[in-house]
Amino acid sequence: MAGRKLLLLLKPFDVYTVRQSNGISHITNPLILQHLENRCKVHKDAINFCQDILSKKPIEWEPVFRNNLSRPIRNVDLVVTVGGDGTLLQAGHLIDDSIPVLGVNSDPTQVEEVDMFSNEFDASRSKGYLCAATVNNFEQLLDNILEGKTVPSNLSRILIRVNSKSLPTFALNDILIAHPCPAMVSRFSFKIKSDGMPCSPLVNCRSSGLRVSTAAGSSAAMLSAGGFIMPILSHDLQYMVREPISPAAATSSLMHGLVKSDQSMEAMWFCKEGFVYIDGSHVFVSIQNGDVIEISSKAPALKVFLPPNLVY
């Protein structure tokens, strides 16, 4: 990859902000304050470390904070994200299937620290589930990529169509279709289709929403809700109706299942307002009564250099 271009996408520092402009913090617990300030320092040190490594390599590179980037990423040969899974997810929203991504977990969780402060606060840091690198192995992994010794994996993404119009953003983790107010009931129906024809019964739901995840996202909110972890390279999707109201519906096998790679899910929304949330709460599209949402894994895959434990 000599002579090629690389984009260094960075998690911003302000996500760790604990002090106001006057220097006073709204956090009174000194242990929490010290923890957050240390997290910011560790993240800054990781950015500086990665930039020092890149400056020694025969590549052209540019650093950009993720909150300063909203247009599709083009004309680069590799994207390196420094942060956690959130930064990698944002990169995935701006990349097609031609540019690979390497995630660097800049602030990994320290098990001893979590145990030490378990009675005081949650000292978890970044999980970095999809991040193959930390500062400990970044240079070696980067060299392997530049020399062609390491190849990326193709991760499925979700294609969403609302009233037959494709949304420009693909979901790498999951989508949630729900009422904007979490206390309100979400009313919708759905069915699974194959070759344009229904291959499942029509399911009518009153619940708190419908979640659909990729294989990569099956270890996140889907797992927490009672789903299962899928093989990371699977092209199937997993769906789950959240908190169905009817007792009979709660035990129905139709509330949780798979959408195979050659199938799609068609959902119809029956509330006055609603949202399709894409990979969390920051990216969403509004829907209204009567809208039809089609969900499939037919989006272009995202090329990601994954941790070995996820692939093998």
Side-chain angles (χ1 to χ4, degrees):
M1 196 178 281
R4 305 287 181 85
K5 294 183 179 180
L6 180 152
L7 178 69
L8 189 66
L9 190 64
L10 309 172
K11 178 181 179 179
F13 301 136
D14 57 13
V15 297
Y16 299 107
T17 300
V18 294
R19 297 185 184 275
Q20 301 173 7
S21 57
N22 57 8
I24 299 175
S25 173
H26 62 278
I27 298 174
T28 57
N29 187 323
L31 292 176
I32 298 177
L33 182 62
Q34 182 181 16
H35 172 73
L36 293 175
E37 290 180 336
N38 177 259
R39 289 197 63 183
C40 184
K41 180 181 183 303
V42 170
H43 176 58
K44 288 182 178 179
D45 289 346
I47 289 176
N48 291 333
F49 177 85
C50 292
Q51 290 179 324
D52 288 343
I53 296 298
L54 289 172
S55 65
K56 303 173 185 177
K57 305 299 176 182
I59 51 176
E60 180 182 343
W61 59 278
E62 175 188 7
V64 178
F65 284 103
R66 71 185 190 195
N67 51 341
N68 295 331
L69 190 65
S70 58
R71 295 181 179 179
I73 298 172
R74 298 191 177 96
N75 301 319
V76 297
D77 301 285
L78 174 66
V79 173
V80 174
T81 64
V82 183
D85 285 331
T87 307
L88 194 151
L89 284 173
Q90 183 166 344
H93 293 166
L94 302 172
I95 300 175
D96 60 18
D97 57 353
S98 65
I99 304 173
V101 185
L102 170 64
V104 180
N105 187 355
S106 63
D107 184 31
T109 292
Q110 309 297 325
V111 177
E112 319 81 50
E113 185 180 46
V114 173
D115 292 340
M116 182 185 303
F117 296 114
S118 60
N119 292 327
E120 296 285 343
F121 62 95
D122 180 9
S124 300
R125 296 181 180 234
S126 173
K127 184 175 182 180
Y129 180 73
L130 298 175
C131 297
T134 65
V135 293
N136 295 325
N137 67 341
F138 172 64
E139 183 170 16
Q140 182 61 59
L141 189 51
L142 179 65
D143 287 342
N144 289 342
I145 293 172
L146 297 178
E147 295 168 12
K149 296 179 180 179
T150 301
V151 296
S153 299
N154 291 322
L155 296 187
S156 290
R157 292 189 283 186
I158 301 175
L159 174 66
I160 310 125
R161 296 169 60 88
V162 178
N163 299 328
S164 300
K165 183 178 181 181
S166 297
L167 300 186
T169 303
F170 309 128
L172 178 60
N173 254 11
D174 56 28
I175 67 169
L176 173 64
I177 305 174
H179 196 281
C181 174
M184 293 291 290
V185 174
S186 294
R187 293 177 172 84
F188 58 92
S189 67
F190 70 88
K191 57 188 172 184
I192 310 299
K193 301 177 70 174
S194 179
D195 295 325
M197 300 297 294
C199 60
S200 79
L202 179 68
V203 183
N204 295 298
C205 299
R206 290 187 303 148
S207 72
S208 60
L210 173 67
R211 187 181 300 279
V212 183
S213 83
T214 62
S218 64
S219 64
M222 181 63 74
L223 181 64
S224 298
F228 54 88
I229 297 179
M230 303 165 64
I232 191 73
L233 300 182
S234 171
H235 297 296
D236 297 339
L237 303 178
Q238 185 177 170
Y239 71 87
M240 180 179 289
V241 176
R242 302 170 72 223
E243 302 169 326
I245 290 177
S246 167
T251 60
S252 171
S253 61
L254 297 173
M255 297 295 106
H256 178 212
L258 292 176
V259 181
K260 295 293 187 177
S261 59
D262 59 348
Q263 298 175 336
S264 63
M265 171 182 280
E266 183 179 277
M268 181 170 284
W269 186 250
F270 295 121
C271 292
K272 182 179 179 181
E273 56 184 335
F275 285 124
V276 179
Y277 297 95
I278 303 173
D279 287 336
S281 60
H282 297 297
V283 180
F284 55 87
V285 175
S286 63
I287 53 176
Q288 58 186 0
N289 188 20
D291 281 350
V292 176
I293 306 100
E294 183 181 353
I295 305 152
S296 72
S297 59
K298 295 179 174 60
L302 183 67
K303 296 182 183 300
V304 181
F305 293 97
L306 292 173
N309 63 295
L310 292 184
V311 183
Y312 303 109

Short mmCIF file of all heavy atoms in Angstrom, two decimals, residues 121-159:
data_model
loop_
_atom_site.label_atom_id
_atom_site.label_comp_id
_atom_site.label_asym_id
_atom_site.label_seq_id
_atom_site.Cartn_x
_atom_site.Cartn_y
_atom_site.Cartn_z
N PHE A 121 -18.57 3.03 41.44
CA PHE A 121 -19.15 3.41 40.15
C PHE A 121 -18.72 2.38 39.11
O PHE A 121 -17.87 1.52 39.38
CB PHE A 121 -18.71 4.82 39.73
CG PHE A 121 -17.22 4.97 39.53
CD1 PHE A 121 -16.65 4.84 38.28
CD2 PHE A 121 -16.39 5.26 40.61
CE1 PHE A 121 -15.28 4.98 38.09
CE2 PHE A 121 -15.02 5.39 40.44
CZ PHE A 121 -14.46 5.26 39.17
N ASP A 122 -19.30 2.49 37.92
CA ASP A 122 -18.94 1.60 36.82
C ASP A 122 -17.69 2.14 36.14
O ASP A 122 -17.74 3.18 35.48
CB ASP A 122 -20.10 1.50 35.83
CG ASP A 122 -19.78 0.57 34.65
OD1 ASP A 122 -18.74 -0.12 34.69
OD2 ASP A 122 -20.59 0.53 33.70
N ALA A 123 -16.58 1.45 36.29
CA ALA A 123 -15.31 1.92 35.74
C ALA A 123 -15.01 1.31 34.37
O ALA A 123 -13.86 1.32 33.93
CB ALA A 123 -14.18 1.62 36.71
N SER A 124 -16.04 0.78 33.71
CA SER A 124 -15.83 0.23 32.37
C SER A 124 -15.37 1.31 31.41
O SER A 124 -15.80 2.47 31.50
CB SER A 124 -17.12 -0.41 31.85
OG SER A 124 -17.55 -1.46 32.68
N ARG A 125 -14.52 0.93 30.49
CA ARG A 125 -14.06 1.86 29.47
C ARG A 125 -14.62 1.41 28.12
O ARG A 125 -15.81 1.11 28.02
CB ARG A 125 -12.53 1.92 29.49
CG ARG A 125 -11.98 2.50 30.80
CD ARG A 125 -10.47 2.58 30.82
NE ARG A 125 -10.01 3.13 32.10
CZ ARG A 125 -9.19 4.18 32.21
NH1 ARG A 125 -8.76 4.79 31.12
NH2 ARG A 125 -8.81 4.61 33.39
N SER A 126 -13.81 1.35 27.10
CA SER A 126 -14.30 0.98 25.77
C SER A 126 -14.19 -0.52 25.57
O SER A 126 -13.13 -1.11 25.80
CB SER A 126 -13.50 1.71 24.70
OG SER A 126 -13.84 1.26 23.41
N LYS A 127 -15.29 -1.14 25.10
CA LYS A 127 -15.25 -2.57 24.83
C LYS A 127 -14.47 -2.87 23.55
O LYS A 127 -13.68 -3.81 23.49
CB LYS A 127 -16.68 -3.11 24.71
CG LYS A 127 -16.75 -4.62 24.53
CD LYS A 127 -18.18 -5.11 24.54
CE LYS A 127 -18.24 -6.64 24.39
NZ LYS A 127 -19.63 -7.13 24.39
N GLY A 128 -14.71 -2.07 22.52
CA GLY A 128 -13.96 -2.25 21.28
C GLY A 128 -14.12 -3.63 20.67
O GLY A 128 -13.15 -4.24 20.21
N TYR A 129 -15.35 -4.12 20.63
CA TYR A 129 -15.63 -5.48 20.16
C TYR A 129 -15.12 -5.71 18.75
O TYR A 129 -14.56 -6.78 18.44
CB TYR A 129 -17.14 -5.72 20.24
CG TYR A 129 -17.60 -7.08 19.79
CD1 TYR A 129 -17.36 -8.21 20.57
CD2 TYR A 129 -18.30 -7.24 18.60
CE1 TYR A 129 -17.80 -9.46 20.16
CE2 TYR A 129 -18.75 -8.49 18.19
CZ TYR A 129 -18.49 -9.60 18.98
OH TYR A 129 -18.93 -10.83 18.56
N LEU A 130 -15.27 -4.72 17.87
CA LEU A 130 -14.88 -4.86 16.47
C LEU A 130 -13.48 -4.30 16.19
O LEU A 130 -13.03 -4.33 15.04
CB LEU A 130 -15.89 -4.15 15.57
CG LEU A 130 -17.33 -4.69 15.61
CD1 LEU A 130 -18.25 -3.81 14.77
CD2 LEU A 130 -17.38 -6.14 15.13
N CYS A 131 -12.81 -3.79 17.21
CA CYS A 131 -11.50 -3.18 17.02
C CYS A 131 -10.40 -4.23 17.15
O CYS A 131 -10.24 -4.85 18.20
CB CYS A 131 -11.27 -2.07 18.05
SG CYS A 131 -12.43 -0.68 17.92
N ALA A 132 -9.63 -4.40 16.10
CA ALA A 132 -8.56 -5.41 16.10
C ALA A 132 -7.30 -4.92 16.78
O ALA A 132 -6.45 -5.72 17.16
CB ALA A 132 -8.25 -5.82 14.67
N ALA A 133 -7.16 -3.60 16.93
CA ALA A 133 -5.90 -3.04 17.42
C ALA A 133 -6.06 -2.26 18.71
O ALA A 133 -7.13 -1.72 19.02
CB ALA A 133 -5.28 -2.14 16.35
N THR A 134 -4.98 -2.21 19.46
CA THR A 134 -4.77 -1.26 20.56
C THR A 134 -3.39 -0.66 20.30
O THR A 134 -2.72 -1.00 19.31
CB THR A 134 -4.80 -1.95 21.94
OG1 THR A 134 -3.68 -2.87 22.02
CG2 THR A 134 -6.11 -2.72 22.15
N VAL A 135 -2.93 0.19 21.21
CA VAL A 135 -1.59 0.74 21.01
C VAL A 135 -0.53 -0.36 21.08
O VAL A 135 0.58 -0.20 20.55
CB VAL A 135 -1.29 1.84 22.05
CG1 VAL A 135 -2.18 3.05 21.82
CG2 VAL A 135 -1.43 1.31 23.47
N ASN A 136 -0.87 -1.46 21.71
CA ASN A 136 0.11 -2.54 21.88
C ASN A 136 0.44 -3.27 20.58
O ASN A 136 1.55 -3.78 20.42
CB ASN A 136 -0.39 -3.55 22.92
CG ASN A 136 -0.51 -2.94 24.30
OD1 ASN A 136 0.28 -2.09 24.68
ND2 ASN A 136 -1.51 -3.36 25.05
N ASN A 137 -0.53 -3.36 19.66
CA ASN A 137 -0.26 -4.13 18.44
C ASN A 137 -0.55 -3.33 17.17
O ASN A 137 -0.55 -3.88 16.08
CB ASN A 137 -1.11 -5.41 18.42
CG ASN A 137 -2.60 -5.14 18.30
OD1 ASN A 137 -3.07 -4.03 18.57
ND2 ASN A 137 -3.36 -6.15 17.90
N PHE A 138 -0.79 -2.03 17.30
CA PHE A 138 -1.17 -1.22 16.14
C PHE A 138 -0.11 -1.25 15.04
O PHE A 138 -0.41 -1.48 13.87
CB PHE A 138 -1.45 0.22 16.56
CG PHE A 138 -1.66 1.16 15.40
CD1 PHE A 138 -2.74 1.00 14.54
CD2 PHE A 138 -0.76 2.19 15.14
CE1 PHE A 138 -2.94 1.85 13.46
CE2 PHE A 138 -0.95 3.04 14.07
CZ PHE A 138 -2.03 2.87 13.23
N GLU A 139 1.16 -1.03 15.41
CA GLU A 139 2.20 -0.93 14.38
C GLU A 139 2.36 -2.26 13.64
O GLU A 139 2.46 -2.28 12.41
CB GLU A 139 3.53 -0.50 14.98
CG GLU A 139 4.61 -0.32 13.91
CD GLU A 139 5.87 0.33 14.43
OE1 GLU A 139 6.07 0.38 15.66
OE2 GLU A 139 6.68 0.81 13.60
N GLN A 140 2.37 -3.36 14.37
CA GLN A 140 2.53 -4.66 13.73
C GLN A 140 1.36 -4.97 12.80
O GLN A 140 1.53 -5.45 11.68
CB GLN A 140 2.65 -5.76 14.79
CG GLN A 140 2.86 -7.16 14.21
CD GLN A 140 4.13 -7.26 13.40
OE1 GLN A 140 5.23 -7.02 13.91
NE2 GLN A 140 4.03 -7.59 12.11
N LEU A 141 0.15 -4.67 13.27
CA LEU A 141 -1.03 -4.93 12.45
C LEU A 141 -1.05 -4.03 11.22
O LEU A 141 -1.39 -4.47 10.12
CB LEU A 141 -2.29 -4.73 13.30
CG LEU A 141 -3.62 -5.16 12.69
CD1 LEU A 141 -3.56 -6.59 12.16
CD2 LEU A 141 -4.73 -5.03 13.73
N LEU A 142 -0.67 -2.77 11.40
CA LEU A 142 -0.61 -1.85 10.27
C LEU A 142 0.40 -2.32 9.24
O LEU A 142 0.13 -2.30 8.03
CB LEU A 142 -0.26 -0.44 10.76
CG LEU A 142 -0.14 0.63 9.68
CD1 LEU A 142 -1.47 0.87 8.99
CD2 LEU A 142 0.41 1.93 10.26
N ASP A 143 1.57 -2.77 9.71
CA ASP A 143 2.59 -3.28 8.78
C ASP A 143 2.05 -4.48 8.00
O ASP A 143 2.29 -4.59 6.78
CB ASP A 143 3.85 -3.68 9.55
CG ASP A 143 4.64 -2.48 10.04
OD1 ASP A 143 4.43 -1.38 9.51
OD2 ASP A 143 5.47 -2.65 10.94
N ASN A 144 1.35 -5.37 8.69
CA ASN A 144 0.79 -6.54 8.00
C ASN A 144 -0.22 -6.13 6.94
O ASN A 144 -0.29 -6.74 5.86
CB ASN A 144 0.12 -7.46 9.01
CG ASN A 144 1.13 -8.19 9.90
OD1 ASN A 144 2.31 -8.26 9.58
ND2 ASN A 144 0.67 -8.70 11.02
N ILE A 145 -0.99 -5.10 7.22
CA ILE A 145 -1.98 -4.62 6.25
C ILE A 145 -1.27 -3.98 5.05
O ILE A 145 -1.60 -4.25 3.89
CB ILE A 145 -2.94 -3.61 6.91
CG1 ILE A 145 -3.81 -4.31 7.95
CG2 ILE A 145 -3.80 -2.92 5.87
CD1 ILE A 145 -4.65 -3.37 8.80
N LEU A 146 -0.29 -3.14 5.33
CA LEU A 146 0.43 -2.46 4.25
C LEU A 146 1.18 -3.45 3.36
O LEU A 146 1.35 -3.22 2.17
CB LEU A 146 1.41 -1.44 4.85
CG LEU A 146 0.79 -0.28 5.64
CD1 LEU A 146 1.88 0.62 6.20
CD2 LEU A 146 -0.16 0.52 4.77
N GLU A 147 1.62 -4.55 3.95
CA GLU A 147 2.36 -5.56 3.19
C GLU A 147 1.45 -6.64 2.59
O GLU A 147 1.93 -7.57 1.95
CB GLU A 147 3.39 -6.22 4.11
CG GLU A 147 4.48 -5.26 4.58
CD GLU A 147 5.33 -5.83 5.71
OE1 GLU A 147 5.21 -7.05 5.96
OE2 GLU A 147 6.09 -5.07 6.32
N GLY A 148 0.14 -6.49 2.80
CA GLY A 148 -0.80 -7.45 2.23
C GLY A 148 -0.85 -8.78 2.93
O GLY A 148 -1.36 -9.76 2.38
N LYS A 149 -0.36 -8.85 4.16
CA LYS A 149 -0.34 -10.11 4.91
C LYS A 149 -1.65 -10.35 5.66
O LYS A 149 -1.89 -11.46 6.13
CB LYS A 149 0.82 -10.12 5.90
CG LYS A 149 2.20 -10.07 5.24
CD LYS A 149 3.29 -10.06 6.30
CE LYS A 149 4.67 -10.00 5.67
NZ LYS A 149 5.75 -9.96 6.71
N THR A 150 -2.43 -9.31 5.82
CA THR A 150 -3.71 -9.41 6.53
C THR A 150 -4.82 -8.91 5.62
O THR A 150 -4.67 -7.87 4.97
CB THR A 150 -3.69 -8.57 7.82
OG1 THR A 150 -2.62 -9.04 8.66
CG2 THR A 150 -5.00 -8.69 8.58
N VAL A 151 -5.91 -9.64 5.57
CA VAL A 151 -7.04 -9.23 4.72
C VAL A 151 -8.25 -8.95 5.59
O VAL A 151 -8.43 -9.56 6.65
CB VAL A 151 -7.38 -10.32 3.68
CG1 VAL A 151 -6.22 -10.51 2.72
CG2 VAL A 151 -7.73 -11.64 4.35
N PRO A 152 -9.12 -8.03 5.17
CA PRO A 152 -10.31 -7.71 5.95
C PRO A 152 -11.41 -8.74 5.75
O PRO A 152 -11.42 -9.50 4.77
CB PRO A 152 -10.73 -6.35 5.40
CG PRO A 152 -10.27 -6.37 3.97
CD PRO A 152 -8.99 -7.16 3.98
N SER A 153 -12.34 -8.76 6.69
CA SER A 153 -13.54 -9.60 6.59
C SER A 153 -14.70 -8.76 6.10
O SER A 153 -14.74 -7.53 6.30
CB SER A 153 -13.89 -10.20 7.96
OG SER A 153 -12.84 -11.01 8.45
N ASN A 154 -15.64 -9.41 5.44
CA ASN A 154 -16.83 -8.72 4.94
C ASN A 154 -17.96 -8.86 5.95
O ASN A 154 -18.48 -9.96 6.16
CB ASN A 154 -17.26 -9.29 3.59
CG ASN A 154 -16.28 -8.96 2.48
OD1 ASN A 154 -15.72 -7.86 2.44
ND2 ASN A 154 -16.04 -9.90 1.60
N LEU A 155 -18.35 -7.75 6.57
CA LEU A 155 -19.44 -7.76 7.54
C LEU A 155 -20.73 -7.29 6.88
O LEU A 155 -20.75 -6.26 6.18
CB LEU A 155 -19.12 -6.84 8.72
CG LEU A 155 -17.91 -7.22 9.58
CD1 LEU A 155 -17.83 -6.30 10.80
CD2 LEU A 155 -17.98 -8.68 10.01
N SER A 156 -21.79 -8.03 7.12
CA SER A 156 -23.09 -7.67 6.56
C SER A 156 -23.60 -6.37 7.18
O SER A 156 -23.36 -6.09 8.36
CB SER A 156 -24.11 -8.78 6.80
OG SER A 156 -23.82 -9.91 6.03
N ARG A 157 -24.32 -5.61 6.37
CA ARG A 157 -25.01 -4.42 6.85
C ARG A 157 -26.47 -4.49 6.43
O ARG A 157 -26.84 -5.24 5.53
CB ARG A 157 -24.35 -3.15 6.29
CG ARG A 157 -22.97 -2.91 6.85
CD ARG A 157 -22.42 -1.54 6.47
NE ARG A 157 -21.96 -1.49 5.09
CZ ARG A 157 -21.33 -0.46 4.54
NH1 ARG A 157 -21.11 0.63 5.26
NH2 ARG A 157 -20.92 -0.48 3.29
N ILE A 158 -27.28 -3.70 7.11
CA ILE A 158 -28.72 -3.72 6.86
C ILE A 158 -29.10 -2.63 5.86
O ILE A 158 -28.75 -1.46 6.05
CB ILE A 158 -29.52 -3.53 8.16
CG1 ILE A 158 -29.18 -4.64 9.16
CG2 ILE A 158 -31.02 -3.50 7.88
CD1 ILE A 158 -29.85 -4.44 10.53
N LEU A 159 -29.81 -3.03 4.83
CA LEU A 159 -30.40 -2.09 3.88
C LEU A 159 -31.83 -1.81 4.33
O LEU A 159 -32.61 -2.73 4.55
CB LEU A 159 -30.39 -2.67 2.47
CG LEU A 159 -31.12 -1.86 1.39
CD1 LEU A 159 -30.42 -0.53 1.15
CD2 LEU A 159 -31.21 -2.66 0.09
#
